[in-house]
């Protein structure tokens, strides 16, 4: 058996989950290869930690804490809301939301202005806005 | 008192039955949570929530199901939620917090008083490496592995808890062990083992 094969089967060898023939082959290889044997020992020591890493003692105050948590949650729970509030509240919020959306659309709409109106506004505004167009500089100097 | 009696009495609101349930199954729940979250305080905290959930939802418990299977399921789900929430919280943690947590975890690993500090240090390092390797496994593999190693459940029992077929559990455990072996070998090559 090659070292690579042994590495792939080592965890199953340590857990005794390999067929008998393979167990013997791995065992034989570990007897001959010091590097694989060292890795096997390291792996065994590491995995052994799982056997001791368990909660074996019980917390004597555990039940008291569970009870405390239960009563705390019962206090925090809000009282049952009346039926009308449960129905009316969402309806009112929905209406407000729809009203808001409608208002938004209304505000966002471009005001309709006819072309004639626009022209008139331009003619009325330009003289004040652009004096040069209304009174050329020559005419101003001549005066 | 059998599990069926406990359930029946609990459904009638018996506090004594609830105490019996908590006392008899405390270790099972805490150990399962501990296997997944790897922290004793967090495990006890989650276990308390598990019993609160059992108390609140006892009416939903099906008579044909096993109480322990139900407890394992709730414990696993709660622990996984805790891990997920912790991951989110870690985004906001500073590096110093992380180091402090690691140190606290390392201190927790050591449970026995020994006169050989070097041996103890080596053990702590081994434990951290193993935990890191288990934590890096995909969620389903991690759950199956934890139930198998920490609770020593059979394939059939794990399949019931995880709602999978026995062959799926076999496959999950096989892949989990392969993954663990690969990670430990990498670590061994880098001389961190």
């Amino acid at each position: 058996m090659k070292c690579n094969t042994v590495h792939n089967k080592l965890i199953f060898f340590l857990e005794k989950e390999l067929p008998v023939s393979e167990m013997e082959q791995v065992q034989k290889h570990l007897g001959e290869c010091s590097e694989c044997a060292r890795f096997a020992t390291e792996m065994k020591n590491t995995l052994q930690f799982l056997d001791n890493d368990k909660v074996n003692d019980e917390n004597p105050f555990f039940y008291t804490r569970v009870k405390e948590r239960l009563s705390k949650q019962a206090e925090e729970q809000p009282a049952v809301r009346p039926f009308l509030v449960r129905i009316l509240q969402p309806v009112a919020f929905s209406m407000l939301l729809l009203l808001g959306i409608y208002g938004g659309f209304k505000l966002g709409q471009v005001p309709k202005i006819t072309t004639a109106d626009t022209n008139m506004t331009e003619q009325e505004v330009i003289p004040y806005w652009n004096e040069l167009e209304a009174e050329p500089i020559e005419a101003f100097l001549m005066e | 008192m059998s599990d069926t009696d406990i359930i029946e009495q609990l459904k009638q609101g018996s506090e004594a039955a609830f105490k019996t349930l908590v006392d008899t199954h405390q270790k099972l729940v805490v150990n399962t949570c501990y296997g997944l979250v790897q922290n004793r305080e967090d495990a006890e905290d989650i276990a308390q929530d598990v019993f609160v959930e059992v108390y609140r939802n006892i009416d939903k418990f099906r008579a044909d199901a096993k109480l322990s299977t139900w407890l394992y399921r709730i414990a696993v789900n709660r622990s996984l939620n805790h891990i997920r929430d912790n991951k989110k919280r870690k985004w906001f943690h500073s590096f110093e917090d992380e180091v402090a947590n690691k140190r606290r975890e390392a201190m927790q690993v050591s449970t026995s008083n020994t006169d050989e500090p070097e041996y103890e240090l080596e053990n702590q390092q081994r434990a951290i490496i193993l935990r890191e390797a288990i934590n890096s496994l995909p969620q389903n593999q991690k759950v199956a592995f934890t139930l198998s190693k920490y609770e020593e459940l059979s394939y059939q029992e794990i399949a019931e808890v995880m709602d999978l077929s026995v062959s799926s559990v076999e496959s999950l455990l096989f892949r989990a062990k392969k993954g663990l072996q690969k990670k430990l070998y990498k670590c061994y090559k880098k001389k961190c083992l």
Side-chain angles (χ1 to χ4, degrees):
Chain A
M1 206 175 247
K2 286 180 182 173
C3 290
N4 267 351
T5 321
V6 172
H7 290 163
N8 283 333
K9 292 178 188 252
L10 205 51
I11 195 162
F12 303 103
F13 169 77
L14 294 172
E15 301 258 307
K16 297 183 177 71
E17 288 175 352
L18 288 178
V20 184
S21 61
E22 283 189 36
M23 287 287 285
E24 284 170 0
Q25 282 176 342
V26 175
Q27 184 70 60
K28 195 181 163 209
H29 181 89
L30 293 178
E32 292 161 357
C33 178
S34 61
E35 182 62 24
C36 287
R38 206 178 324 147
F39 175 52
T41 314
E42 286 294 342
M43 186 119 125
K44 192 178 171 186
N45 289 339
T46 308
L47 290 175
Q48 251 174 7
F49 180 78
L50 277 175
D51 299 330
N52 309 320
D53 189 34
K54 286 176 189 168
V55 179
N56 291 317
D57 54 323
E58 288 183 0
N59 183 348
F61 307 107
F62 190 81
Y63 178 70
T64 327
R65 285 184 187 153
V66 174
K67 284 294 292 175
E68 198 181 315
R69 197 166 284 210
L70 261 172
S71 50
K72 206 175 170 184
Q73 281 188 6
E75 278 170 23
E76 282 171 3
Q77 256 184 355
V80 182
R81 290 183 297 169
F83 176 74
L84 270 177
V85 175
R86 271 188 294 157
I87 299 296
L88 281 179
Q89 207 174 26
V91 169
F93 279 124
S94 309
M95 281 175 71
L96 264 176
L97 183 71
L98 287 173
L99 209 68
I101 293 169
Y102 178 74
F105 271 114
K106 276 283 167 199
L107 282 173
Q109 265 176 359
V110 184
K112 281 181 184 172
I113 302 163
T114 56
T115 325
D117 285 346
T118 319
N119 283 343
M120 193 117 89
T121 318
E122 266 177 26
Q123 282 164 4
E124 280 169 8
V125 169
I126 281 171
Y128 303 103
W129 189 47
N130 188 359
E131 281 183 2
L132 283 176
E133 201 171 288
E135 190 181 18
I137 190 94
E138 293 87 353
F140 175 74
L141 288 172
M142 286 291 281
E143 277 174 21
Chain B
M1 201 189 284
S2 72
D3 282 353
T4 326
D5 296 334
I6 293 175
I7 299 292
E8 278 310 310
Q9 288 186 25
L10 200 54
K11 279 182 179 173
Q12 287 160 12
S14 162
E15 202 167 298
F18 185 57
K19 189 176 185 320
T20 314
L21 172 90
V22 174
D23 289 345
T24 48
H25 294 88
Q26 177 192 332
K27 222 157 127 180
L28 173 156
V29 176
V30 175
N31 210 23
T32 307
C33 298
Y34 177 72
L36 289 165
V37 300
Q38 304 282 339
N39 179 297
R40 177 74 193 255
E41 283 169 30
D42 288 348
E44 285 205 0
D45 213 39
I46 299 163
Q48 285 166 22
D49 280 340
V50 170
F51 284 110
V52 168
E53 192 176 332
V54 167
Y55 186 82
R56 294 213 181 285
N57 297 313
I58 195 69
D59 291 328
K60 291 178 190 164
F61 181 70
R62 293 196 329 268
D64 58 322
K66 252 173 93 180
L67 178 65
S68 58
T69 308
W70 192 43
L71 286 171
Y72 278 127
R73 259 187 215 170
I74 302 175
V76 166
N77 285 338
R78 289 241 167 206
S79 304
L80 293 179
N81 285 348
H82 175 87
I83 294 168
R84 201 184 51 220
D85 293 346
N86 248 9
K87 266 186 194 165
K88 278 185 206 161
R89 230 174 291 147
K90 270 184 186 171
W91 278 91
F92 304 103
H93 268 204
S94 65
F95 177 71
E96 285 77 13
D97 288 343
E98 279 298 305
V99 172
N101 277 345
K102 288 274 170 207
R103 240 179 235 165
R104 202 185 55 187
E105 276 171 25
M107 292 300 286
Q108 251 189 4
V109 168
S110 146
T111 47
S112 58
N113 291 325
T114 174
D115 297 332
E116 299 170 75
E118 267 181 38
Y119 175 76
E120 195 63 15
L121 192 72
E122 200 182 295
N123 254 358
Q124 283 180 15
Q125 208 173 342
R126 268 207 183 100
I128 291 168
I129 290 163
L130 186 62
R131 280 176 179 178
E132 292 280 324
I134 295 172
N135 283 338
S136 66
L137 290 175
Q139 188 175 288
N140 262 6
Q141 291 180 23
K142 188 179 166 183
V143 172
F145 187 78
T146 306
L147 290 173
S148 161
K149 285 289 163 195
Y150 281 82
E151 278 301 301
E152 288 165 18
L153 295 190
S154 66
Y155 286 9
Q156 178 64 44
E157 287 168 319
I158 298 171
E160 280 168 21
V161 174
M162 294 181 76
D163 213 6
L164 295 170
S165 65
V166 176
S167 57
S168 302
V169 172
E170 271 177 10
S171 158
L172 278 178
L173 283 172
F174 179 80
R175 279 185 281 147
K177 284 174 189 174
K178 274 263 183 193
L180 215 58
Q181 180 175 257
K182 201 173 163 187
K183 282 181 179 96
L184 292 179
Y185 184 63
K186 262 188 196 170
C187 209
Y188 173 72
K189 278 281 169 195
K190 283 183 192 167
K191 308 276 179 207
C192 61
L193 199 70

